[in-house]
Amino acid sequence: MTALRVAIVTGNAAGNAARICHHLARSLPEVTIVGAVVDAGTEPDRGRQARRLKAWRRQGGTGYMLWRISLELRARTDPQPRQRYAHNLPELGEMFGFPVVEVPSVNSEQARDALSGLQADLAVSVGNRVIKESTFSIPRLGMVNLHHGRIPDYRGGPPGFWEVYDEEPAIGVSVHQIDSQLDHGALLGAAEVPLPVGDDPKLAMERIYTMDYRVVADVVAAIANGRSTPIAVDFGDWKVRTIPTRAQLRELQARFGRPVRHDEFRQAQLPALPEAAA
């Protein structure tokens, strides 16, 4: 059997995508990692930015729009640890013999050229901006995405926040085929872990990191072996989640007795892979 050619697509070469890639490369003999495409974030999507500004103003007026802009600017300037996993993608590329290509945007011409050059059967998306069809349609079998949240009721994000806010008893992870709608394509794999009372969004994410890599591996292995079966999903009237309001943030702050940010998932620690899969 010819090995399935898989490319990794991400916006962070030293985050969870590296961990997922490492697990796939070590645990699936039916898969060959042929390369990684890393979005450096240097080419903004002006059209999407304009649509978001209009939506924010429509949603909460000028004050809300300015608050959302301030969050975006803070996210760009906040110091975040870039090395969240023991190995980054360039290091894994040297270990397993695949190229890593940095591009200005996952939706850029450079990204499309890179994906085309890798001749991947399938691409795995981990931690990306919204990906356009001109990019996700390039691999022969398209692109699957790792989403931290149960689809359809926790489409969008921020991951971990809404499950804690809603006092859910569990938090889910989903792997789905990417299509033209956000977190909407065929659901190919899903799992949940218990969410104890008292967990904050950071702890919720650390729980989900104990099993997300296994769900991705199961989906990729099923595709490689020709036994992938979509899970039935009724999207119905479910809406895409988005950044909480200031009132909702204050509500969680009162619950935990400390300030709560919408992006606490960025502070969650990535646990090492189990020895057998490391």
Side-chain angles (χ1 to χ4, degrees), residues 206-244:
E206 289 175 355
R207 294 189 189 282
I208 213 169
Y209 288 143
T210 64
M211 41 77 82
D212 61 347
Y213 64 94
R214 296 198 301 266
V215 181
V216 177
D218 288 347
V219 167
V220 172
I223 292 172
N225 294 309
R227 52 180 176 79
S228 176
T229 304
I231 301 168
V233 174
D234 180 8
F235 284 93
D237 295 327
W238 290 106
K239 295 181 180 179
V240 174
R241 306 280 179 141
T242 185
I243 290 177

Side-chain angles (χ1 to χ4, degrees), residues 184-200:
H184 178 271
L187 182 61
L188 303 177
E192 291 186 343
V193 292
L195 188 58
V197 175
D199 270 15
D200 60 19

Side-chain angles (χ1 to χ4, degrees), residues 5 42 56 71-72 79-80 83 92 103 107-108 121 123 131 133 136 161 165 175 189-190 205 225 229 237 248 255 260:
R5 296 172 59 85
T42 57
W56 293 343
L71 292 180
E72 294 281 323
Q80 298 289 346
Q83 187 77 23
L92 293 173
V103 296
N107 295 312
S108 64
D121 299 311
I131 301 177
E133 184 174 0
F136 71 67
F161 180 92
Y165 182 84
V175 177
M205 290 306 298
N225 294 309
T229 304
D237 295 327
Q248 289 165 329
R255 192 186 306 176
V260 177

Side-chain angles (χ1 to χ4, degrees), residues 147 150-157 182-184 235 238 240-241:
H147 175 67
R150 187 173 63 239
I151 290 177
D153 40 342
Y154 287 99
R155 295 167 63 201
L182 183 65
D183 301 330
H184 178 271
F235 284 93
W238 290 106
V240 174
R241 306 280 179 141

Side-chain angles (χ1 to χ4, degrees), residues 124-139:
V124 175
S125 164
V126 182
N128 284 293
R129 66 175 91 189
V130 175
I131 301 177
K132 296 180 179 178
E133 184 174 0
S134 56
T135 296
F136 71 67
S137 63
I138 289 175

Side-chain angles (χ1 to χ4, degrees), residues 92-164:
L92 293 173
E94 291 185 6
M95 291 168 60
F96 295 102
F98 61 79
V100 178
V101 183
E102 189 173 278
V103 296
S105 163
V106 71
N107 295 312
S108 64
E109 182 179 352
Q110 294 93 322
R112 293 190 291 272
D113 289 344
L115 266 180
S116 297
L118 293 175
Q119 297 182 327
D121 299 311
L122 178 75
V124 175
S125 164
V126 182
N128 284 293
R129 66 175 91 189
V130 175
I131 301 177
K132 296 180 179 178
E133 184 174 0
S134 56
T135 296
F136 71 67
S137 63
I138 289 175
R140 180 176 63 87
L141 299 174
M143 190 177 295
V144 298
N145 178 60
L146 169 61
H147 175 67
H148 292 117
R150 187 173 63 239
I151 290 177
D153 40 342
Y154 287 99
R155 295 167 63 201
F161 180 92
W162 288 113
E163 289 88 347
V164 170

Side-chain angles (χ1 to χ4, degrees), residues 67 71 74 158 160-162 164-165 199-202 244-265:
W67 178 64
L71 292 180
R74 186 175 68 181
F161 180 92
W162 288 113
V164 170
Y165 182 84
D199 270 15
D200 60 19
K202 175 178 175 290
T245 65
R246 281 173 285 191
Q248 289 165 329
L249 287 169
R250 286 194 294 267
E251 185 177 336
L252 268 198
Q253 176 176 327
R255 192 186 306 176
F256 290 111
R258 64 168 181 82
V260 177
R261 287 175 52 153
H262 71 282
D263 57 353
E264 288 196 353
F265 66 93

